[in-house]
Amino acid sequence: MKRKPVMYLGATSLALLIAGGVGLIVSEHAVSAQAPAGGAAPARGAAQGGATTPARGATGGGGAPSYRVNPLWPQLLPNHWVLGAVSGVAVDKQDHVWIVHRGADSLESAEKAMILTPPTSFVCCVPAPSVMEFDSAGRVLASWGGPGLGFVWPQSTGGIAVDGDGNVWVAAFGLEPAPAGRGRGAAAADPDAVGPPAARGRGDAPAAAQAPARGRGAAPAAPAAADAHITKYSPAGQQILRIGTPGQPGTPDSQTGLNRPAGMAIDDAAHEVYVADSGNHRVAVFDSNTGAFKRSWGGSGDRPTAAGAGPYDPNGAPGRQFRDVTCVKISKDGQVYVCDRSSNRIQVFQKNGQFIREMVIAKNTKGAVTTIGQAPGVVLNASGSVWDIAFSNDANQRLLYVADGSNDVVRILRRDSLTEVGHIGDGGRQPGRFLAVAAVAVDSRGNLYTGEVHHAKRVQKFAPAAAAAAPATGNN
Amino acid sequence: MTSKRNIVIGATLAALLVVLGTGQSLLTKVAAQSASTVMAPKFEVDPNWPKPLPNQYQLGQTIGVAIDANDHVWIVHRANPDEVEAGADNGTAGCCHVADPIMEFDQAGNLLRHWGGKDGPGYQWPASNHGIWIDYKGNVWIGGNGNGSDGMVLKFTQDGKFLNMFGIKKQGLGPDSLAEDRFYLVAKIHVYPKTNEAFISDGYGNKRVAVIDADTGKMKRFWGAYGNKPDDKLDLGAYTPGAPLAKGFRGPVHCAEPTADGIVYVCDRTNDRLQWFTLEGKFLGEIQVQPESKGDGSTWDVDFSKDPAQKYLYVADGRNQRIHIYDRKTMTELTNFGSGGHYPGQWYSLHSIAVDSKGNLYTTETYQGRRVQKFTYKGLAPVTRRDQGVPWPTSTGQ
């Protein structure tokens, strides 16, 4: 038996050589954009699920482009790595795709069996580093970050952004405050934040007996300080700047503090970073080099309040204040788009905070407030329709993509009118389907990348159907 | 061992030839020489199977798969999506709906019939589903797996018309591995045509293989580990890798699969163990699979290659997220494939497997995996490495 490994070694080299010479040819689903389904969320099609119509080079309803999912993107991860909940996706100037995921905290014990104490498997699996960079072929380039690896890591990550210098920004979105009664908390937070702040054993509550082997693993460890910051890292993961202080949430009028920021956007020309300061119901702008406060505003351009807009009522007026602010994105023509997620609303501003317009998307969406597992008080909150926003790759950024994690689609909107012209996807775990799609980004060639939280834990790539119609050799 | 050394040389030489771009005929000759020693079935995941589910259906924990005479693929799942996944049912979002627990797919991956989940005249639906089988008469069997009440298996037509309940369904049930009239927390059913007997993996509560008449449900025989009389009082303690093998099934007894040549392979899951028996329950042998595995164990399900001799045994290992391929004659592992994850060809808690008449393999995942996947049979191929990894396609096939 001792010689067996030798045999495999020799044979492996053969396999590798052959594999190296043969490009992977992938087959791909067509995922044509579906016609819009009206504003009311529950009205969406009950008919055939719709990701199969091949519409190569064609456009879907209302001028929306069609897409094909690449089911074999990214390439297989090394080192028995698996992704946790993918909370942020961004594309840098080189068209590299950056993700941040929630690692061990978001994995159930069966997904991270190798880091349990004792391990229950020696071959599956280990959480991948929290920040990962892929090239457009899906190869892992950089990987770093995560709790217990020399980083002061967030309780729960939000969005990721890459600035013009290639530096990587990560938001510490945090854990939702324990809900009062069974209602929503004062501010809705992250749908995958399923652990009370006091006990860090997120993901798989019954595994409390299993202590983490390293970093934050399966079980309660020392509580991380409450998330109240964003951090700017070098492309290799060296911390450059932090705005806000972990454990010291700021108030809506704070010039130094944040409260569960969900994401950020960088205005390279102005050296400014715009922060979706979710817990403070505001957009806050800082100098992206020094961290000095510049300005902030609340919903509709008003002064933000701690109370925000209160519980969402689909039959009432949405209110002027933000509920939660889960994204901020800046278009090339200098407009600031804000996700007011549990208000089912996009608001658009000038860079100075002057309100321009708003649009409510799928207004009947309430999202789920539920407990999962057996741990008391463990909250899983998926609320609202507007989770993240990306712009199309054309010069005018004619289209807007909205990740709708409650309705499991990426909506395609005209940017000028904010009217919906189609959508991609539907609910499900198969390639091209979504389960709690939380993040969306577009590269210079119009490829669309999505990140999913909850139990999906994927980054997916969708190519424009026209481009995908070319022979799919290589790994695109 | 000499022959194995030759493989090393052969494979290395073959590799060199590839690099050098030497003539194809010589390469083929060398490959054929090495191939003659270790061959195993090769598979490739089909990332586009099944087709996306209609009606915004979401699967729950998918805890059974079976193939019928038409090579249709039947699954049973626990129709238990959480609020996020069943938002349309709950009125909180536009997606999705809980799908019926029994679902039939054709070879192209279209969803055909789907039904179940409700009580009917003469039966109660299980409090928790587990295991599905399509018998040689075309009937659909499912196991009852709900704590405290499910001591039965149910038989339906393929259209969901109730035929039989064997065992007992009532509140207050507990383990009784000597019971003649019922089961407790069944994992799987396999109806053996030659004897018209149903082999019941019994299960999560009881710790035995039970064999009943497939028409009448009459208990014919049952046995525990090593073919002994099962003993529910046996205290096995915690599973410890390397310790002497347990005298009893630690369970769940998660599969009991008879072959055409009359050998019954039994999954003793948290012992990381397979035992095999005659149809009558005489102990023949045992192995462990990845015996370092803790938690919920390594031996979740087995099925066989489609050659008449059923030369190869496939073991679904939902702890390590692999399918191990064994030579059934020697019960040595030839190779394995798969890994953990949510992408095609990966699994998160691989639970059940089934093989169709063409040798294609279907898998289902429980916990939060919740998919049915197809792995296309690509014929026998030389084993080039023990851990093949995820069998992604090398050509479109479409």
Side-chain angles (χ1 to χ4, degrees):
Chain A
M1 293 307 282
K2 265 190 179 166
R3 289 201 183 85
K4 255 193 182 166
V6 180
M7 173 188 77
Y8 290 125
L9 258 183
T12 303
S13 60
L14 167 64
L16 280 175
L17 286 166
I18 292 174
V22 181
L24 254 188
I25 302 169
V26 298
S27 60
E28 299 180 333
H29 272 304
V31 183
S32 35
Q34 306 291 297
R44 218 173 72 250
Q48 188 74 21
T52 52
T53 320
R56 291 187 167 186
T59 55
S66 294
Y67 292 88
R68 285 171 175 264
V69 67
N70 183 339
L72 305 182
W73 194 98
Q75 295 182 25
L76 294 162
L77 299 179
N79 310 324
H80 307 291
W81 285 350
V82 290
L83 301 181
V86 179
S87 62
V89 177
V91 176
D92 70 14
K93 286 200 301 194
Q94 308 169 79
D95 270 351
H96 292 173
V97 182
W98 292 78
I99 67 165
V100 62
H101 69 92
R102 295 178 183 147
D105 289 340
S106 65
L107 293 168
E108 303 201 346
S109 59
E111 293 177 290
K112 55 183 174 187
M114 293 171 75
I115 66 162
L116 303 178
T117 305
T120 57
S121 169
F122 290 89
V123 296
C124 175
C125 292
V126 175
S130 297
V131 173
M132 305 184 79
E133 175 193 14
F134 300 92
D135 66 16
S136 57
R139 283 181 284 257
V140 178
L141 301 178
S143 57
W144 46 265
L149 301 170
F151 294 88
V152 179
W153 203 250
Q155 291 179 311
S156 183
T157 57
I160 189 169
V162 185
D163 65 25
D165 298 326
N167 296 316
V168 179
W169 298 70
V170 174
F173 191 19
L175 301 170
E176 182 178 18
R182 275 290 278 113
R184 281 241 188 89
D190 163 22
D192 207 52
V194 291
R200 295 288 311 153
R202 255 186 299 157
D204 200 300
Q210 296 162 324
R214 61 190 178 86
R216 290 210 304 261
D227 282 350
H229 56 291
I230 63 170
T231 308
K232 175 186 179 179
Y233 298 96
S234 75
Q238 296 298 312
Q239 182 173 320
I240 297 171
L241 176 70
R242 191 173 67 204
I243 299 173
T245 308
Q248 297 177 34
T251 55
D253 57 0
S254 173
Q255 300 201 355
T256 55
L258 301 170
N259 185 1
R260 297 188 298 101
M264 62 260 119
I266 292 87
D267 181 346
D268 287 308
H271 306 293
E272 289 181 339
V273 56
Y274 289 64
V275 183
D277 191 8
S278 188
N280 284 329
H281 314 111
R282 67 172 179 170
V283 173
V285 184
F286 301 87
D287 185 294
S288 61
N289 292 321
T290 67
F293 178 83
K294 297 291 226 27
R295 60 193 175 277
S296 74
W297 66 87
S300 313
D302 290 357
R303 183 163 177 247
T305 64
Y312 178 74
D313 175 6
N315 301 314
R320 291 185 64 85
Q321 290 281 318
F322 291 130
R323 287 187 170 76
D324 50 354
V325 186
T326 58
C327 87
V328 55
K329 298 289 166 90
I330 308 168
S331 64
K332 286 179 194 166
D333 57 6
Q335 296 188 347
V336 180
Y337 289 74
V338 178
C339 303
D340 185 11
R341 187 176 67 182
S342 51
S343 300
N344 302 324
R345 176 165 66 175
I346 299 168
Q347 287 200 337
V348 189
F349 301 89
Q350 307 283 6
K351 286 185 178 177
N352 64 8
Q354 189 187 328
F355 177 79
I356 300 174
R357 63 189 184 282
E358 70 177 359
M359 180 60 77
V360 172
I361 310 284
K363 77 186 266 278
N364 289 332
T365 306
K366 298 184 208 105
V369 178
T370 183
T371 57
I372 64 167
Q374 284 102 34
V378 172
V379 173
L380 179 76
N381 187 353
S383 49
S385 61
V386 181
W387 293 38
D388 196 14
I389 284 175
F391 305 105
S392 57
N393 65 322
D394 55 297
N396 294 326
Q397 300 183 311
R398 188 176 67 88
L399 299 173
L400 201 67
Y401 301 91
V402 178
D404 178 348
S406 290
N407 297 296
D408 296 326
V409 291
V410 172
R411 298 179 186 274
I412 307 174
L413 275 54
R414 284 176 52 155
R415 193 164 67 89
D416 56 2
S417 61
L418 297 180
T419 51
E420 187 170 337
V421 294
H423 69 262
I424 300 166
D426 205 337
R429 284 171 166 80
Q430 292 176 273
R433 292 295 177 103
F434 297 119
L435 172 55
V437 55
V440 60
V442 177
D443 74 9
S444 72
R445 289 182 292 181
N447 295 307
L448 205 88
Y449 300 90
T450 59
E452 290 160 89
V453 295
H454 195 43
H455 294 301
K457 298 168 186 165
R458 291 184 296 191
V459 52
Q460 298 197 77
K461 177 178 183 176
F462 299 79
T473 55
N475 298 297
N476 289 314
Chain B
M1 294 320 272
T2 314
S3 63
K4 275 184 181 154
R5 192 174 295 149
N6 287 344
I7 294 171
V8 179
I9 296 162
T12 309
L13 179 56
L16 280 172
L17 289 171
V18 171
V19 170
L20 298 172
T22 313
Q24 184 65 30
S25 61
L26 182 56
L27 174 63
T28 309
K29 203 182 291 176
V30 174
Q33 280 172 7
S34 51
S36 63
T37 32
V38 185
M39 300 285 282
K42 188 171 174 58
F43 296 93
E44 202 172 85
V45 68
D46 181 349
N48 299 317
W49 195 99
K51 292 181 180 166
L53 293 177
N55 310 327
Q56 300 186 306
Y57 280 154
Q58 284 279 15
L59 299 182
Q61 296 169 348
T62 308
I63 33 60
V65 58
I67 313 294
D68 70 14
N70 298 315
D71 268 349
H72 289 181
V73 181
W74 293 73
I75 63 169
V76 59
H77 68 101
R78 292 171 171 151
N80 61 346
D82 64 29
E83 281 185 54
V84 170
E85 296 163 281
D89 286 338
N90 300 326
T92 55
C95 196
C96 299
H97 298 282
V98 177
D100 293 330
I102 308 289
M103 305 176 87
E104 175 194 16
F105 298 90
D106 64 17
Q107 281 279 301
N110 297 299
L111 176 64
L112 304 177
R113 287 169 285 194
H114 48 94
W115 46 267
K118 296 184 184 71
D119 299 344
Y123 72 100
Q124 288 176 273
W125 195 262
S128 180
N129 308 319
H130 207 291
I132 187 168
W133 185 258
I134 316 298
D135 69 24
Y136 65 102
K137 296 172 180 172
N139 298 317
V140 181
W141 298 59
I142 61 169
N145 196 247
N147 266 323
S149 68
D150 284 353
M152 79 301 186
V153 298
L154 299 175
K155 196 199 312 189
F156 298 88
T157 69
Q158 292 192 0
D159 290 318
K161 181 173 172 281
F162 172 69
L163 296 175
N164 296 106
M165 179 180 80
F166 301 136
I168 294 172
K169 163 82 176 175
K170 71 170 186 188
Q171 290 300 324
L173 289 185
D176 180 359
S177 293
L178 303 178
E180 300 270 350
D181 58 349
R182 66 167 174 100
F183 319 102
Y184 189 53
L185 311 183
V186 168
K188 203 178 173 189
I189 306 108
H190 184 131
V191 178
Y192 194 63
K194 284 180 190 168
T195 60
N196 195 42
E197 291 172 332
F199 288 73
I200 313 288
S201 315
D202 182 27
Y204 279 74
N206 291 344
K207 302 290 164 58
R208 65 175 177 176
V209 176
V211 184
I212 60 172
D213 183 282
D215 290 332
T216 67
K218 182 181 183 318
M219 182 73 72
K220 297 181 79 172
R221 58 195 175 275
F222 56 83
W223 65 85
Y226 300 102
N228 295 329
K229 187 174 157 185
D231 179 3
D232 289 337
K233 295 192 180 65
L234 201 60
D235 179 11
L236 298 176
Y239 175 72
T240 308
L245 295 179
K247 290 191 173 65
F249 289 138
R250 192 180 302 274
V253 178
H254 212 244
C255 79
E257 305 303 302
T259 59
D261 58 3
I263 299 175
V264 186
Y265 292 84
V266 177
C267 301
D268 182 14
R269 203 176 85 183
T270 56
N271 274 330
D272 300 335
R273 177 164 70 175
L274 296 177
Q275 290 197 335
W276 54 98
F277 304 87
T278 65
L279 295 176
E280 296 302 314
K282 179 172 177 286
F283 176 75
L284 295 174
E286 65 180 334
I287 57 161
Q288 280 196 296
V289 177
Q290 303 275 139
E292 75 283 2
S293 309
K294 294 186 173 182
D296 35 22
S298 66
T299 51
W300 292 51
D301 199 3
V302 303
D303 206 347
F304 313 100
S305 57
K306 276 300 161 185
D307 52 298
Q310 298 178 303
K311 186 163 188 265
Y312 302 100
L313 174 85
Y314 307 136
V315 182
D317 175 354
R319 168 54 31 179
N320 301 296
Q321 316 310 342
R322 290 178 172 193
I323 288 178
H324 306 275
I325 301 180
Y326 279 77
D327 180 335
R328 198 160 69 85
K329 194 175 285 176
T330 62
M331 285 307 280
T332 52
E333 181 177 342
L334 303 176
T335 184
N336 66 72
F337 65 91
S339 78
H342 295 273
Y343 290 97
Q346 299 184 312
W347 300 289
Y348 168 20
S349 294
L350 167 61
H351 189 277
S352 300
I353 57 174
V355 177
D356 72 14
S357 70
K358 303 181 189 81
N360 302 313
L361 194 146
Y362 302 83
T363 67
T364 65
E365 294 156 81
T366 186
Y367 299 159
Q368 293 299 341
R370 303 185 176 202
R371 291 180 298 181
V372 53
Q373 297 193 72
K374 177 180 183 176
F375 295 78
T376 306
Y377 179 60
K378 308 296 281 186
L380 296 177
V383 174
T384 53
R385 51 183 167 159
R386 178 170 166 150
D387 300 331
Q388 294 181 34
V390 182
W392 272 5
T394 52
S395 63
T396 64
Q398 289 190 351

